[in-house]
Amino acid sequence: MSQDTQLISASLDGDTDAFGQLAFKYQDRLFNTLAYLLGSQEEAEDIMQDALFQAYTKLQTFQGNSSFYTWLYRIGVNLALSHRRKKKNQPHQSVEIRRELAGEDVESGAEEPLESVLRSERSHQLHQALDLLDDEQRSVLVLRELEGCNYDEISSILDLPPGTVRSRIHRGRKALKALLQPQMDDSITPPDLAEVQQNK
C-alpha cells in the first residue's frame, strides 16, 4: 500500500493530520501550475486553497483510478480554467507581476551577468506569450512542458482523450512559437520551456 493510499484511508477515518500531510506533499507543485495558468500568484494561492478544500470534502469520491496527485490536479486546473473564463474581459496583470512569477527582482538595480539578463528576458517573453494562448493550449503546454506531466496524466487531469492532448500540444507549440518569434532580437535565443522551468 502506497503512502498516499495510507494517508487517504486515514483521512477518510477522520484523521485530519493525514490529509494535511497529503496537502503539504503536493501544494507547492500545484501552486506552480496554477500560477502559470493564472498569471497571478495571489489568484493561484486562492485557487489552490479552494482545490485543497474541495479535495478534502470530496475525498470519499476518490476511486483510485488515477493517482491522488492527478485527481487533485484535475480539481485545481478545472477551478483555474473556470476562474480565467470568468475574468476573461479584465485587463492583463502588470509587468511587475509577470516578473515576480518569473523569479525576477523588479526593484533590484544591481548589474546582472548577460546570461542572467537574457534568461530573465526569455522567461518574461514566455509568460507574456503563454497568456495570449487560449485556455486549451495553455493548460496542456503548462502541464506537459513546465510541470513534466506525461500524456496519460494530462489526459486524466483534463479529462481528454490522449489524441486530443497530443493535438493540442502540437498546436500550442506552433502558436507559442509564432507569438514569440516577432519578439526575438537576433542576439537573444528563443526561450526554451524546460530551461525556464529549471530556472524558475
Side-chain angles (χ1 to χ4, degrees), residues 81-143:
L81 295 178
S82 176
H83 179 76
R84 278 191 64 91
R85 284 192 291 270
K86 290 178 182 177
K87 59 169 285 186
K88 209 163 191 178
N89 295 325
Q90 295 182 11
H92 292 170
Q93 77 271 20
S94 67
V95 171
E96 286 73 16
I97 295 177
R98 294 183 187 283
R99 287 183 175 173
E100 181 185 351
L101 283 170
E104 300 175 38
D105 185 355
V106 178
E107 301 298 328
S108 175
E111 186 173 333
E112 297 180 83
L114 179 59
E115 181 181 351
S116 177
V117 172
L118 295 182
R119 185 168 59 246
S120 295
E121 178 64 18
R122 290 196 296 269
S123 181
H124 176 54
Q125 290 170 338
L126 174 61
H127 281 287
Q128 285 186 312
L130 279 172
D131 199 50
L132 293 174
L133 296 178
D134 63 39
D135 289 344
E136 293 179 350
Q137 294 174 348
R138 183 190 311 101
S139 58
V140 295
L141 284 181
V142 167
L143 290 171

Side-chain angles (χ1 to χ4, degrees), residues 2-70:
S2 70
Q3 181 188 36
D4 282 5
T5 301
Q6 292 175 346
L7 291 172
I8 289 168
S9 178
S11 297
L12 291 173
D13 287 338
D15 186 349
T16 56
D17 287 340
F19 186 82
Q21 292 180 54
L22 275 172
F24 182 78
K25 185 176 180 180
Y26 296 115
Q27 64 184 10
D28 287 348
R29 191 173 175 190
L30 177 60
F31 173 81
N32 287 335
T33 300
L34 296 175
Y36 276 113
L37 287 174
L38 295 166
S40 164
Q41 291 189 338
E42 183 177 347
E43 291 178 6
E45 179 68 29
D46 290 342
I47 296 298
M48 183 185 72
Q49 295 301 329
D50 287 347
L52 291 173
F53 178 75
Q54 284 200 21
Y56 178 71
T57 58
K58 297 178 180 179
L59 191 59
Q60 70 276 6
T61 69
F62 176 65
Q63 301 296 317
N65 298 324
S66 63
S67 67
F68 175 78
Y69 143 82
T70 299

